[in-house]
Amino acid sequence: NNSINRIREIVGHENVLCALSGGVDSSVVAALLHKAIGNQLTCMFIDTGYMRINEGKRIKDIFEKQFNINLIYINAQNDFYKKLEGVSEPEKKRNQPLTWNL
């Protein structure tokens, strides 16, 4: 309750964009923000395709349907796959610049 009240105090009537990775940390932050400020929150999730099978769709469904959170869902799986095609060295994959037009 302290966190929710503090969020409301800080945010006021402004809107908030939350980058959602689908992991526990960003999911908890999104849930707290939503509880505190409701429709002032928009989350953005970029589905890279590198999570468990159908995990991106599951995250989309949970946040849109169960939590009723405004979600910008970007399916960038093909972009990521194409950019990393033929790259097998893990360090090169981590450092490969990824850009695309939204």
Side-chain angles (χ1 to χ4, degrees):
N1 286 334
N2 289 337
S3 295
I4 290 168
N5 290 333
R6 182 74 177 126
I7 291 166
R8 286 180 182 147
E9 181 182 312
I10 292 169
V11 172
H13 296 290
E14 299 294 325
N15 292 317
V16 173
L17 177 64
C18 177
L20 183 63
S21 71
V24 173
D25 294 340
S26 66
S27 296
V28 169
V29 168
L32 280 171
L33 285 169
H34 187 254
K35 188 167 185 177
I37 62 172
N39 287 334
Q40 290 170 250
L41 171 67
T42 299
C43 289
M44 179 181 284
F45 173 67
I46 300 174
D47 189 349
T48 63
Y50 292 111
M51 299 177 82
R52 292 181 195 104
I53 192 164
N54 295 323
E55 189 74 11
K57 182 185 179 320
R58 186 171 164 266
I59 290 165
K60 181 181 186 301
D61 290 345
I62 287 171
F63 280 87
E64 284 181 335
K65 295 176 184 171
Q66 290 182 13
F67 294 139
N68 198 30
I69 291 177
N70 298 326
L71 179 70
I72 298 170
Y73 172 84
I74 299 171
N75 185 343
Q77 292 180 23
N78 290 336
D79 294 328
F80 275 77
Y81 296 155
K82 186 175 181 179
K83 192 71 171 182
L84 295 174
E85 187 176 2
V87 180
S88 58
E89 173 62 39
E91 256 336 284
K92 285 184 180 179
K93 284 183 181 182
R94 278 189 276 283
N95 295 316
Q96 182 72 29
L98 298 170
T99 59
W100 65 93
N101 296 324
L102 299 177

